[in-house]
Amino acid sequence: MALFSQDQLEAIAGALGDTGVGLTGPEIQFLLTTARMVDPGPMTKRIRIYNAFVDSQNTKRNRTHILEFIRQAMKPARYSRDPERYEPMRALLNQALAFAGLVVDQTGNLSTTETAQTLPEAKRRALELRADME
């Protein structure tokens, strides 16, 4: 399994740490612990997630813990008290994951897909996934 590139990690962290619909500070702390990753401490959410992802991937030479973080973060039950956050975050995340050939389905499961080569292609796929749900 290939490692994530630096730009892929930035995009994924940006989606998960999005100011509007992304994870909260306490959620990030919990998920980093759950995925057995080092928490780089308080800083902006996307940079905190990015730094944790880079440290994990560089130290362990795999992306297993990053994928676990994503799986845990995207469990639908986690959003039962705040359901309107789930789909917008999933759409942002899928747009970022498209460049790594991954997708999170509506049940929160990660699966492989054809790798997107362009931003319009990644955006179109994320929107199609959302439209399929609605």
Side-chain angles (χ1 to χ4, degrees):
M1 186 186 306
L3 298 177
F4 287 113
S5 64
Q6 187 249 335
D7 56 313
Q8 290 168 346
L9 287 175
E10 273 185 49
I12 295 164
L16 291 168
D18 182 76
T19 306
V21 296
L23 300 167
T24 65
E27 287 172 331
I28 293 167
Q29 182 179 7
F30 174 78
L31 290 165
L32 288 173
T33 302
T34 302
R36 298 191 320 272
M37 298 169 82
V38 175
D39 189 341
M43 56 187 69
T44 65
K45 296 185 298 178
R46 66 179 175 76
I47 292 173
R48 182 180 183 185
I49 294 168
Y50 173 77
N51 286 346
F53 284 3
V54 168
D55 176 70
S56 176
Q57 185 168 269
N58 288 344
T59 304
K60 298 175 175 79
R61 306 301 310 150
N62 65 49
R63 60 187 196 175
T64 306
H65 296 274
I66 297 168
L67 295 173
E68 182 59 19
F69 182 99
I70 294 168
R71 278 187 204 98
Q72 293 296 324
M74 297 312 295
K75 286 186 172 184
R78 188 175 300 288
Y79 302 91
S80 59
R81 291 184 57 188
D82 203 2
E84 61 281 350
R85 284 176 57 212
Y86 186 74
E87 280 309 315
M89 184 165 55
R90 191 173 77 89
L92 283 175
L93 182 58
N94 278 335
Q95 188 170 322
L97 288 172
F99 292 101
L102 294 168
V103 64
V104 175
D105 67 23
Q106 66 192 67
T107 64
N109 292 315
L110 265 170
S111 56
T112 57
T113 186
E114 194 173 317
T115 303
Q117 301 300 319
T118 66
L119 197 50
E121 181 184 358
K123 194 170 187 124
R124 178 184 50 77
R125 274 202 225 157
L127 291 173
E128 283 173 0
L129 281 168
R130 240 179 124 167
D132 285 349
M133 265 204 43
E134 293 166 1

